[in-house]
Amino acid sequence: MGTWDIGHFDNDTAADFGGTLDDAPPGKREALLRDALTAVTGTGPGEYLDGDEAAVAVAAAALIAAQCPGGKPVTTPYGPDEPLPPLAPELRALAVSALDRVVGAESELPELWADAGADGLWAAGITELREVLARAAG
């Protein structure tokens, strides 16, 4: 995975996901977000989570959080250019579960950030994202 910064879309995989969302018909974008999250939450507790799947789930969670109270808009040029429709509220809890899986022991992404020496900064960004989503999910 090519990564150039700490942001949720600052890697090749997440940037490609932003393009995929732009290419999808507006009515299919929510399903793409849901699929990205369920790809992560659907793995078993002992299964190793690939870094690319985790990066897409983080990007999806960031887009969902952007529609929550206190959420930050996704303004990076690597995210989708096309606006997302209002998203179903139940995606918030699914995004929380996905983020919990992404930071878990059987996930490649925390290892990659630790190897780069930026795991603290990355984890802080994930924690902030999770808090916004958890508050909005109730």
Side-chain angles (χ1 to χ4, degrees):
M1 168 173 69
T3 301
W4 51 88
D5 208 348
I6 199 83
H8 304 308
F9 279 90
D10 293 343
N11 62 77
D12 290 333
T13 306
D16 288 346
F17 180 64
T20 298
L21 288 168
D22 282 339
D23 292 342
K28 300 288 184 186
R29 293 182 185 141
E30 183 173 309
L32 288 171
L33 295 171
R34 185 181 310 277
D35 290 349
L37 299 173
T38 57
V40 168
T41 59
T43 59
E47 288 182 58
Y48 194 69
L49 179 60
D50 177 74
D52 286 341
E53 285 182 331
V56 171
V58 169
L63 291 167
I64 295 163
Q67 292 189 4
C68 296
K72 294 180 181 176
V74 175
T75 59
T76 176
Y78 305 109
D81 294 324
E82 298 299 319
L84 293 172
L87 300 170
E90 67 266 12
L91 287 178
R92 298 167 180 175
L94 182 59
V96 169
S97 295
L99 291 177
D100 289 345
R101 179 72 173 95
V102 165
V103 299
E106 296 297 321
S107 177
E108 182 181 28
L109 210 48
E111 293 174 14
L112 294 172
W113 283 107
D115 289 347
D119 50 328
L121 285 172
W122 175 78
I126 299 297
T127 299
E128 181 180 342
L129 196 58
R130 188 191 185 285
E131 287 172 357
V132 166
L133 290 160
R135 273 194 309 271

